[in-house]
Amino acid sequence: MGFYKSLSLVALATVGVSQAVTETRSLDQIHQAALKEGGVVTLWHGGSDPHQQDALKNAFEERFPGMTLNVSVRSSSFIGPDIDRQLAAKSVTVDSIFLQTLQDYPRWKRQGVLLNYKPAGFEQVYDEFKDPDGAWASSTINAWSIIYNKDKLIGIEPPATFSDFLKPEFKNKLIFTSPIDDDAVLNTFDLIINAYGVDFFWSLLEQNPRFAPHHLSIANEIGQPNTTYAATFGTTIGLFSQDPLVVHFPTEGAPFTSWAQGAAILKDAPHPEGAKLLHSYVLSQEYQNQTGSWSIRRDVAAPKGFSSIFSTPNTNPLDFAHWMYDRENVERFRFWVQDKIGYPA
């Protein structure tokens, strides 16, 4: 039986919800169980740079001596099909998945391939950011901002809303992550066009922007003093400015994209205790207080100068998931944009 035929059978299968396991052990107790299991966790994490989750790897391995967190970072859109291939072949080598493709989690839950596990601290996670049966619980909150290099905008009013990017002084100064390969970036363009109309898109293209394939390259290009690129939206360097780069979240006009990253353990994970340790750690107050972003927990305050994500103006972290569920709309919009801008260079 071929891969695609096998995959279609997996997709058609609907399995009853198994009883969730609620974690009652301390992190140290789970740590000991994970060491006896082999001390290894394999995580596939959505992202654009292989080293994007080095901070998580280092924090986890330092906190839990003897543990090894093997992290592979690729686009979530590419990871999902590889997970489906492993599931179809009944050969799962991955323990945990932290992905932006939020539409995959309900499907995988229906197929019965996710471990219904409620990590330590699960009760403090906002209800909107977790599955009630424990099939997944979000790990972090991400958001795209406006970013500009203040040193390159001397005498130019910096952009405060997305509509400001159409001002003539920004011609040849704009660079964006291509929305073709990243649904969250695509969502930003959809939000802007819905707010301002399709004429905004045509006018933006007249600014002669560059579309690049990776988020991290965008900030680097803007930060370099010897490039012409001075501003962008639909990417991130975190919540706080990093001189000369200024981070700004628009409070009016088209809303900005924010979402809670999905996180789940595969039911047939080869290292279930290690995976439970990772998820309980990521959901802990200890870790959530050091992410530098909004928290998925009710009892962890937002970083200084910010309100909770649900009180943040001009964004709704739940809208992205609803948008992602409508795959027909997403794919039609992606092909429309691709036809207009081509592939990133």
Side-chain angles (χ1 to χ4, degrees):
M1 181 179 291
F3 163 62
Y4 291 105
K5 188 172 182 181
S6 299
L7 188 59
S8 66
L9 293 179
V10 171
L12 289 172
T14 301
V15 181
V17 177
S18 59
Q19 186 69 32
V21 175
T22 300
E23 189 58 78
T24 59
R25 297 172 294 176
S26 68
L27 287 176
D28 290 338
Q29 288 173 326
I30 309 172
H31 180 199
Q32 293 306 309
L35 288 174
K36 292 178 182 178
E37 182 186 66
V40 175
V41 191
T42 298
L43 167 65
W44 282 6
H45 199 297
S48 59
D49 183 89
H51 300 289
Q52 198 168 325
Q53 293 303 320
D54 283 359
L56 171 59
K57 174 180 172 64
N58 294 337
F60 180 79
E61 293 179 352
E62 181 179 353
R63 174 64 173 81
F64 304 106
M67 294 297 301
T68 298
L69 178 58
N70 294 321
V71 186
S72 176
V73 179
R74 291 181 295 144
S75 168
S76 295
S77 298
F78 300 153
I79 290 176
D82 277 351
I83 294 294
D84 283 331
R85 179 181 286 274
Q86 290 194 10
L87 294 171
K90 300 186 184 303
S91 179
V92 174
T93 63
V94 181
D95 299 306
S96 299
I97 45 177
F98 288 21
L99 304 178
Q100 172 184 293
T101 49
L102 304 181
Q103 77 279 3
D104 284 330
Y105 291 97
R107 173 174 63 86
W108 284 328
K109 179 187 178 182
R110 291 193 301 270
Q111 294 167 9
V113 299
L114 301 180
L115 182 66
N116 289 327
Y117 173 67
K118 298 181 179 181
F122 184 85
E123 71 283 353
Q124 289 295 339
V125 176
Y126 288 105
D127 291 342
E128 295 89 343
F129 296 153
K130 64 187 178 184
D131 172 67
D133 298 309
W136 71 86
S138 302
S139 58
T140 53
I141 295 175
N142 301 323
W144 297 150
S145 63
I146 290 173
I147 301 172
Y148 60 88
N149 186 329
K150 64 181 179 61
D151 292 345
K152 293 182 179 181
L153 296 182
I154 296 175
I156 299 175
E157 187 71 22
T161 68
F162 298 120
S163 61
D164 290 337
F165 283 79
L166 302 186
K167 293 179 178 179
E169 50 265 39
F170 287 106
K171 187 160 188 175
N172 300 318
K173 296 182 183 296
L174 304 178
I175 182 171
F176 302 107
T177 306
S178 172
I180 304 304
D181 295 329
D182 191 308
D183 285 346
V185 180
L186 188 68
N187 175 255
T188 292
F189 279 84
D190 194 41
L191 290 173
I192 293 171
I193 290 174
N194 285 337
Y196 299 135
V198 73
D199 284 346
F200 173 93
F201 187 74
W202 304 132
S203 297
L204 186 67
L205 295 186
E206 291 177 1
Q207 297 285 64
N208 193 33
R210 177 187 167 197
F211 291 93
H214 300 299
H215 289 286
L216 296 182
S217 66
I218 304 298
N220 290 337
E221 290 280 357
I222 295 174
Q224 291 295 326
N226 59 344
T227 70
T228 61
Y229 303 117
T232 189
F233 59 73
T235 189
T236 182
I237 57 170
L239 299 190
F240 298 97
S241 301
Q242 301 175 24
D243 191 55
L245 300 182
V246 177
V247 173
H248 172 72
F249 293 95
T251 57
E252 59 183 6
F256 65 90
T257 300
S258 63
W259 75 98
Q261 189 90 337
I265 301 172
L266 292 172
K267 190 175 182 180
D268 294 331
H271 309 103
E273 294 298 333
K276 290 175 183 177
L277 178 62
L278 174 63
H279 286 247
S280 289
Y281 173 62
V282 167
L283 262 63
S284 69
Q285 283 184 306
E286 176 184 343
Y287 180 77
Q288 289 291 315
N289 271 313
Q290 59 182 281
T291 65
S293 184
W294 295 280
S295 178
I296 46 85
R297 292 180 61 122
R298 300 184 186 89
D299 58 349
V300 173
K304 186 177 180 179
F306 290 84
S307 57
S308 75
I309 187 61
F310 287 111
S311 300
T312 300
N314 211 32
T315 193
N316 184 336
L318 305 181
D319 285 348
F320 179 66
H322 297 309
W323 184 81
M324 289 285 279
Y325 295 155
D326 188 353
R327 297 313 300 171
E328 181 178 350
N329 173 65
V330 172
E331 297 307 325
R332 286 176 65 85
F333 184 56
R334 185 197 318 283
F335 285 121
W336 183 86
V337 172
Q338 180 177 323
D339 180 57
K340 312 309 176 191
I341 69 172
Y343 289 100

